[in-house]
Every structure is written in structure tokens, then in C-alpha cells.
Amino acid sequence: MVSLQYIGHSAFYIKTGDYGILIDPFITGNPKAVFDLKNNKITDIFVTHGHSDHLGDAIPLSKSLNAPICTIFELASYCMSKGAAAQGINMGGKIEYPWGSARFLPAFHSSSTPEGFYAGMPASILFEINGIKIYHAGDTCLHAEMKTAGEVYRPDIALLPIGSHYTMGVNDAINAAQWLNAKHIIPMHYNTFDLINADTDYFKLKIEELGKKCTVLYCGESIKINE
Ligand code: ZN
């Protein structure tokens, strides 16, 4: 059984067997985040880029839970300098895990450490778990590499930012859903604060008009994804 929980913003928790995968864990300081840190096992942490609303609690959680962080090389070096266990990867790289694999792909954004220093390129991450491919876009605008990802990797599920201002908004995310060839779309990175408010009803309607499934998750909601 593979379950996907939306924590809030761009943070997700994937549970598969004895493994727990945490992505972009912005929990502390996120008023909307819902996640039970005490009763969910975390074995691996992934971070798409260095901004504080994505790096979030990754470093303290990595240290307290002994869970390695996998992220872009420069950001991994930063995490290690803060005492966390981290593995650095770069674009196109794929890491195998007992639960599947993670491949880092390009996102079009910026990335800096909480102190404002260069943190390498921002990334999207393609997970493959039990044969299900989940594309976490990270923060990004619509970009043509998504067509490549759709053609070459054909993700089943795409987690796409829709809040605009710092990322693509609803209309570009509708194009992204098509370019990625994903059957199931889940929006993220919206409504955490006023600057990134988005109309999820409109987004869902437009995605469904394309013949795709769209699930708008509330913070803390889990779905089974081994379909
Ligand atoms: Zn960002």
C-alpha cells in the first residue's frame, strides 16, 4: 500500500511499507500544516530547493530522526555543514532506494540558503514507488522541459504549484498537466498566504475537462495511490 498525504504548501508524506518519505517539509512556521510527526515514521527526506518554505524542518528532522536528506549537491553540502546527513545529486541523476527511486529533473526557479547564499539549481523530483511515478514539480514556472519529462518518463501523478507570484499559476499548471502527460493532478503551493491564493474549483474543472483526474487535498488529507 502506498499512501500520499498532503501536509500543506508543497510538503507531502509518502508511506510505503516500512518507509516514510517526506518532501519539502515546511511544517514549523506554516500555519496551515497538518502532520503528526510523532506517529509517522520518516526514513528519507527530499528537498527541491533551498527556500525556507521548502527546506523547512529538513535539517532538524534529519538530525533528530537520523533520516538522510537527498537534494541538489550545493544544498546537500549546506545541510551537511549544519550537521545533517545528506546526499547530493544533480539534474538527471537517479538514486535507488529499497522503496523505489528518485530522479532529479529541472525546475525553473531560484534557490538560496536561509542565509541568502547560492544553493545550486532548484529541482523537480520524479519518484517511482511500486511502479507508480509521482512528479513533484517543486517551485517552477511552466517550462518546455516538462514536455520532455512527459515524453520520456510519463508520470502517473503530478503535484503542481498553482499559486502564481513565486511559481506558475492555475492556467500554466493546466498546460503543465498536459505536457507532463500525467493522468492524476494534485495542486500545491497555494493559499498558504494571501500572495498565492488560487481558485482550486476552476483548476479542478479545467483538469477534468482534459479527461484527467484532479484531487484537491486539504492539509493533512491522505489518499491511497496504488491504482
Ligand atoms: Zn522557492
Side-chain angles (χ1 to χ4, degrees):
M1 204 270 284
V2 183
S3 68
L4 175 80
Q5 183 179 13
Y6 182 49
I7 297 171
H9 204 57
S10 294
F12 287 85
Y13 174 70
I14 300 172
K15 195 170 186 310
T16 172
D18 276 343
Y19 300 95
I21 303 152
L22 195 57
I23 309 160
D24 282 1
F26 173 43
I27 301 167
T28 304
N30 175 1
K32 305 251 172 105
V34 178
F35 186 61
D36 184 350
L37 270 171
K38 285 201 178 70
N39 294 308
N40 281 306
K41 186 175 176 186
I42 295 160
T43 54
D44 296 288
I45 301 170
F46 289 84
V47 180
T48 58
H49 66 290
H51 293 152
S52 56
D53 58 327
H54 296 260
L55 180 61
D57 300 289
I59 292 171
L61 284 176
S62 168
K63 290 203 277 191
S64 65
L65 302 171
N66 203 23
I69 298 169
C70 182
T71 189
I72 286 291
F73 178 79
E74 288 83 355
L75 185 56
S77 300
Y78 171 81
C79 294
M80 283 189 274
S81 78
K82 299 292 177 186
Q87 187 163 31
I89 188 172
N90 222 318
M91 291 309 152
K94 179 183 176 189
I95 300 190
E96 305 282 349
Y97 288 87
W99 43 259
S101 66
R103 184 191 295 277
F104 277 57
L105 295 170
F108 211 109
H109 189 62
S110 61
S111 180
S112 53
T113 68
E115 291 87 356
F117 297 115
Y118 176 68
M121 283 179 74
S124 299
I125 308 174
L126 180 74
F127 297 93
E128 186 160 359
I129 304 168
N130 274 11
I132 305 159
K133 293 182 199 159
I134 305 164
Y135 177 93
H136 186 296
D139 276 1
T140 185
C141 62
L142 180 69
H143 61 81
E145 290 296 327
M146 288 174 176
K147 286 187 179 177
T148 306
E151 195 178 305
V152 177
Y153 304 114
R154 302 191 77 85
D156 298 293
I157 301 173
L159 316 176
L160 301 178
I162 64 163
S164 194
H165 199 90
Y166 298 111
T167 67
M168 59 188 176
V170 164
N171 288 312
D172 283 342
I174 292 162
N175 276 319
Q178 286 177 287
W179 288 2
L180 286 163
N181 265 317
K183 299 184 285 284
H184 186 180
I185 310 297
I186 298 173
M188 63 177 184
H189 210 274
Y190 65 93
N191 292 5
T192 315
F193 36 86
D194 287 348
L195 264 180
I196 59 167
N197 283 346
D199 184 345
T200 51
D201 290 342
Y202 175 79
F203 181 69
K204 185 175 164 68
L205 182 78
K206 290 293 174 186
I207 293 294
E208 287 172 351
E209 279 176 10
L210 297 171
K212 298 176 186 296
K213 182 175 173 183
C214 180
T215 307
V216 179
L217 296 169
Y218 58 80
C219 298
E221 185 176 3
S222 288
I223 52 168
K224 291 188 181 117
I225 55 167
N226 41 337
E227 51 202 18

